[in-house]
Amino acid sequence: VLDHPVLDGKTLKRLLRFRSLDAPVVSLYVAVPVDPGEVRGAPAALHTLVKPLRELAESDELSHAARESLRADAAKILELVPRALQQQGKAMGVFACSRENFYEEVALPRQVRDRVVVDATPYVRPLLAVLDESHRYCVVVVDRERAWVHAFDGGQLEDVTKEAGRVLRKPDYGGWHGLDEYRVRNKAEEWARRHFRETAEAVERQVQRTGAEFLIVGGHEETIPNFLPFLPHDLQGRVAGTFVIDPHTLTPARVGEQAQRVVDEYERREEQELVARALERVAMGGLGAAGLEWCLAAADAKAIQLLLIHDEQEVPGRVCDNCGWLGLEGEDCPVCGAPTRKTPDVIDEMAAAVVDASGSVEHVYADTPLAQHVVAALLRFPVPPP
Ligand SMILES: [Zn+2]
């Protein structure tokens, strides 16, 4: 499998800072299905996505240079097909501006909505949304005799460490004639404890090796609470959630599915907490901001530590390419007086500016009061509302 380099810091910076004034930048996101039957339809999907680009390249409203550049971008994007086909279950992001010799292609660890955006800057929100959700997890499935430890990264179950067999085998009760039932049960308890202890150690090793931030525990309903106390204290605090599964019917696909469900619930919970924290700070007059105008002012001041964005909502606005000012309205920049540029989504420009200024961005998909504000932020220093 041709492996695309994981999006590194340098590439991200290039994407955040690139702008082109002579010809537009094409940003394209395409998901590659998991199902081999559907994968065959992927080239056709890409052609459909590229079609509006070709139409735009015929438009009289654009300069000759811009039309040439778009035509070249469309052709280059279609060359993506063989590489995209190797990313089953993942997605590709492509950013192109042939006029400026700019082309970046990144494989994203999970699927995103297909889309094409044409603007003066790369459209980075879907990329940032994937990055802000890509925590590393360690998944352990445990029963009284066996355990399976996995790494779970970007929606993929990896690196299966089968711990079965390492631990003591199930005792052969048949050979225990003469022992009363009480002692057999006692012996079994002792074995289970030892197995749980060894499993907890295996989990700890895996967490250290992979740098997993969170832990997910699966197993029989009654096994999970018996196992959890064996985990070291700091790992107990990092359990993102648990799931019930019958280890006898275990498949990697099923474990992956259950782990993803726990991850989704955990992420939504985390989002709700962050929104509550930001709005609480706003209410208390602390280091918070809410609403587009206020957050844009905070972004202009480089005060945003964490920007929270409701779902995929987009809002048009204005950008000053001279000094970086972002706002909702104004043909002239209120800071430096230079003419501003229209942008179809000022939230995208704001997200790029925040990340470029060492802040972070979290897209909030959970149902929260952020829906009314569209954006809110945790600030590094106070910025008064405009
Ligand atoms: Zn300006």
Side-chain angles (χ1 to χ4, degrees):
V1 173
L2 185 97
D3 226 354
H4 279 269
V6 184
L7 182 65
D8 57 48
K10 267 188 189 160
T11 309
L12 182 61
K13 281 274 178 212
R14 261 202 308 280
L15 288 170
L16 295 175
R17 290 177 181 175
F18 184 76
R19 63 198 62 228
S20 160
L21 301 176
D22 290 341
V25 183
V26 174
S27 305
L28 176 137
Y29 291 89
V30 62
V32 186
V34 189
D35 178 9
E38 284 177 47
V39 168
R40 278 195 289 275
L46 199 57
H47 273 90
T48 311
L49 273 172
V50 166
K51 204 173 158 221
L53 289 182
R54 299 193 141 161
E55 285 164 7
L56 195 59
E58 302 307 317
S59 152
D60 293 336
E61 284 167 37
L62 296 179
S63 69
H64 176 72
R67 294 204 306 262
E68 287 273 281
S69 182
L70 275 176
R71 223 169 279 139
D73 294 340
K76 193 150 193 189
I77 287 169
L78 289 177
E79 291 169 15
L80 173 75
V81 169
R83 294 188 298 282
L85 291 181
Q86 288 169 332
Q87 302 290 339
Q88 270 169 266
K90 300 185 181 181
M92 305 278 299
V94 183
F95 310 88
C97 178
S98 296
R99 170 86 181 169
E100 299 288 336
N101 254 327
F102 180 80
Y103 185 85
E104 296 290 349
E105 191 178 295
V106 289
L108 303 175
R110 65 174 169 81
Q111 297 206 329
V112 295
R113 186 161 67 79
D114 288 358
R115 74 169 99 197
V116 180
V117 178
V118 177
D119 193 16
T121 55
Y123 192 76
V124 294
R125 276 179 61 192
L127 189 70
L128 297 178
V130 168
L131 293 182
D132 75 40
E133 294 228 332
S134 59
H135 294 302
R136 283 167 191 273
Y137 293 85
C138 171
V139 180
V140 55
V141 176
V142 62
D143 70 9
R144 286 172 66 89
E145 293 121 24
R146 295 162 302 168
W148 296 262
V149 184
H150 311 260
F152 190 67
D153 205 349
Q156 310 268 58
L157 200 67
E158 296 163 2
D159 197 31
V160 182
T161 316
K162 202 172 173 189
E163 293 285 331
R166 274 194 71 260
V167 295
L168 286 171
R169 300 303 304 159
K170 189 175 177 177
D172 176 8
Y173 294 99
W176 287 15
H177 288 304
L179 289 180
D180 59 43
E181 201 187 320
Y182 171 77
R183 286 183 57 202
V184 169
R185 219 182 315 129
N186 240 7
K187 204 79 194 153
E189 280 308 316
E190 195 185 309
W191 258 307
R193 273 201 304 277
R194 181 162 171 187
H195 163 61
F196 285 161
R197 206 160 46 234
E198 288 181 354
T199 300
E201 284 163 12
V203 168
E204 204 179 2
R205 280 196 300 276
Q206 171 89 347
V207 166
Q208 276 164 2
R209 199 170 58 75
T210 60
E213 298 149 89
F214 302 108
L215 183 62
I216 297 169
V217 182
H220 286 298
E221 207 169 348
E222 64 278 12
T223 316
I224 296 170
N226 287 335
F227 168 67
L228 289 177
F230 286 87
L231 288 169
H233 199 262
D234 76 304
L235 277 185
Q236 287 185 33
R238 282 150 71 188
V239 174
T242 62
F243 61 90
V244 173
I245 195 165
D246 180 0
H248 291 105
T249 61
L250 199 68
T251 64
R254 204 166 290 169
V255 173
E257 225 167 76
Q258 292 295 320
Q260 187 60 53
R261 196 181 47 73
V262 172
V263 167
D264 288 342
E265 280 171 15
Y266 182 80
E267 298 281 352
R268 298 299 87 82
R269 231 166 31 236
E270 190 191 34
E271 290 167 8
Q272 279 161 346
E273 281 167 19
L274 289 171
V275 169
R277 197 185 307 165
L279 297 181
E280 200 179 282
R281 285 188 185 187
V282 169
M284 308 281 287
L287 294 173
L292 258 174
E293 284 185 299
W294 194 355
C295 287
L296 284 168
D300 286 339
K302 298 203 187 318
I304 297 184
Q305 182 187 22
L306 174 69
L307 176 67
L308 299 162
I309 306 174
H310 177 64
D311 214 335
E312 294 193 351
Q313 203 157 329
E314 296 174 7
V315 179
R318 313 288 305 191
V319 183
C320 173
D321 285 313
N322 187 42
C323 73
W325 173 85
L326 302 170
L328 292 175
E329 280 168 344
E331 306 217 332
D332 298 315
C333 173
V335 178
C336 73
T340 61
R341 150 173 77 80
K342 220 165 114 183
T343 172
D345 183 19
V346 75
I347 299 175
D348 186 65
E349 301 276 353
M350 175 163 49
V354 166
V355 175
D356 198 28
S358 310
S360 47
V361 171
E362 177 95 32
H363 281 78
V364 174
Y365 301 100
D367 190 12
T368 72
L370 189 61
Q372 299 145 34
H373 304 280
V374 183
V375 286
L378 302 179
L379 304 181
R380 297 190 178 109
F381 51 86
V383 174

Coordinates of all heavy atoms in Angstrom, one line a residue, residues 320 322-323 325 333 335-336, ligand 1:
C320 N -8.5 40.9 5.1 CA -7.5 41.8 4.6 C -6.2 41.0 4.4 O -5.6 40.5 5.4 CB -7.2 42.9 5.6 SG -5.8 44.0 5.1
N322 N -3.5 42.2 3.5 CA -2.3 43.0 3.8 C -1.9 42.8 5.3 O -0.7 42.6 5.6 CB -2.6 44.5 3.6 CG -1.4 45.4 3.8 OD1 -0.3 45.0 3.4 ND2 -1.6 46.5 4.4
C323 N -2.9 42.9 6.2 CA -2.5 42.8 7.6 C -3.1 41.6 8.3 O -2.8 41.3 9.5 CB -2.9 44.1 8.4 SG -4.7 44.3 8.6
W325 N -6.4 41.1 9.0 CA -7.7 41.4 9.6 C -8.8 40.5 9.0 O -8.9 40.3 7.8 CB -8.0 42.9 9.4 CG -9.4 43.3 9.9 CD1 -9.8 43.6 11.2 CD2 -10.6 43.4 9.1 NE1 -11.1 43.9 11.3 CE2 -11.6 43.7 10.0 CE3 -10.9 43.1 7.8 CZ2 -13.0 43.9 9.6 CZ3 -12.2 43.3 7.3 CH2 -13.2 43.7 8.2
C333 N -10.1 47.7 4.9 CA -9.7 47.2 6.2 C -9.7 48.3 7.2 O -9.1 49.4 7.1 CB -8.3 46.6 6.1 SG -7.6 46.1 7.6
V335 N -8.2 48.4 10.0 CA -6.9 48.5 10.6 C -5.9 49.2 9.8 O -5.2 50.2 10.2 CB -6.3 47.1 11.0 CG1 -5.0 47.2 11.7 CG2 -7.3 46.4 12.0
C336 N -5.7 48.8 8.5 CA -4.6 49.3 7.7 C -5.2 50.1 6.4 O -4.4 50.7 5.7 CB -3.7 48.2 7.3 SG -4.3 47.1 6.0
Ligands
ZN1 ZN -5.5 45.4 6.9

